[in-house]
Amino acid sequence: MNSGDKIRLEQMYKMYRKRMWYTAFKILNDGYEAEDAVHEAFIRIANSFKNMPHDVESLKTLSYLIKTVKNVSLNMLYDKNKRDQLVAIDELFGLHDDQELD
């Protein structure tokens, strides 16, 4: 990534981070997780910067950023729900710490 790309990325961050945070917050309902989603989205954007529209202020750029943070947020929500559904084997069989399987 050259210095011009870094400047463009910084401009995008300054211009759109609040909109991106709001989008993530609507999905995740948690401010800290929304911040994490925006951070992760910008990491993904930086890694695939060659696919970005060139004009920072274009509607295409905004759309790309919002879609990215939305996808990151939905992935985070899916992963969180998946973790919440994990059940210990003891709970599955209704056992307590002092009982054993026969």
Side-chain angles (χ1 to χ4, degrees), residues 23-62:
T23 300
F25 184 79
K26 288 192 309 186
I27 294 169
L28 298 167
N29 296 317
D30 183 286
Y32 295 113
E33 287 183 357
E35 287 179 25
D36 289 345
V38 171
H39 179 76
E40 177 64 28
F42 271 102
I43 289 172
R44 290 184 185 187
I45 290 162
N47 289 334
S48 63
F49 203 70
K50 64 181 183 281
N51 299 329
M52 285 292 306
H54 190 70
D55 183 12
V56 173
E57 296 183 24
S58 75
L59 207 51
K60 281 185 175 184
T61 299
L62 175 60

Side-chain angles (χ1 to χ4, degrees), residues 76-86:
M76 289 172 66
L77 186 63
Y78 175 77
D79 291 344
K80 180 181 176 187
N81 288 338
K82 198 169 161 183
R83 279 192 308 270
D84 291 346
Q85 291 179 1
L86 292 178

